[in-house]
Amino acid sequence: MLARKSRLRKRQDFDSVYKKGKSYSCKYLKVYILNTDLPQQRFGFSISKKVSKKATERNKLKRQLSFVIREELKSLKTETDVVFVVRSIILELSYDDIKYNVRELLKKANLYTGC
C-alpha cells in the first residue's frame, strides 16, 4: 500500500486532475497527470464496476497497481498528481504484464526523472 501522503483521496483532487491534467493511454490503462506545487507525488486509482462487479477483483487490481507504483516511486518526478483509470480488458493480464504496461505509460508521460 502507498503511504497516506502519496495517495489522492478527495473527490475534488480527482476532479481537478481529470479536468486540468494531461492524459496518456494504452489498451489497458489511461493515466491523467497534473503538475502541482506539492513537494511529493500523489497517486489515485479509478476502477469502476464496469471493470468487475466483484469488489475483491477491483481491490486486487488497486493493490497490484499500488505495488508497482511503490517500486517505481523513487525514480519518478515529484510535484505531480497521477490518476490511473483501469479498463476492463486488464483482467486478462498477469501481474508482470500490468507492471510492464504501467511502466510504459509512465515513460510515455515522461514521469521518470532521467527523461
Side-chain angles (χ1 to χ4, degrees):
M1 200 74 187
L2 287 171
R4 190 177 196 109
K5 67 178 181 177
S6 295
R7 285 184 272 168
L8 284 172
R9 296 181 322 196
K10 295 181 181 176
R11 179 163 184 114
Q12 64 190 17
D13 292 336
F14 276 87
D15 288 341
S16 67
V17 174
Y18 289 138
K19 290 177 185 171
K20 300 174 190 171
K22 194 168 182 183
S23 68
Y24 302 90
S25 63
C26 70
K27 186 176 180 181
Y28 306 102
L29 296 163
K30 187 167 191 176
V31 65
Y32 292 88
I33 297 163
L34 178 66
N35 292 326
T36 62
D37 296 331
L38 298 173
Q40 80 275 351
Q41 60 272 67
R42 298 186 303 170
F43 297 90
F45 305 103
S46 176
I47 304 174
S48 74
K49 285 188 180 178
K50 290 180 184 178
V51 173
S52 175
K53 297 287 184 199
K54 296 179 182 178
T56 54
E57 288 180 357
R58 294 192 308 272
N59 290 335
K60 180 181 177 183
L61 285 170
K62 284 181 191 178
R63 282 193 311 274
Q64 288 176 333
L65 290 169
S66 173
F67 191 73
V68 171
I69 293 301
R70 204 171 72 193
E71 289 178 345
E72 301 294 317
L73 207 54
K74 289 189 168 114
S75 59
L76 295 176
K77 293 179 182 176
T78 57
E79 299 177 354
T80 55
D81 285 348
V82 181
V83 175
F84 287 92
V85 179
V86 176
R87 297 180 176 161
S88 60
I89 196 166
I90 201 167
L91 292 173
E92 301 170 1
L93 297 181
S94 68
Y95 173 72
D96 290 329
D97 293 334
I98 292 172
K99 182 191 261 187
Y100 173 79
N101 281 291
V102 168
R103 286 180 175 169
E104 287 301 310
L105 262 181
L106 293 174
K107 284 180 193 172
K108 192 179 194 181
N110 204 16
L111 275 182
Y112 285 101
T113 53
C115 294

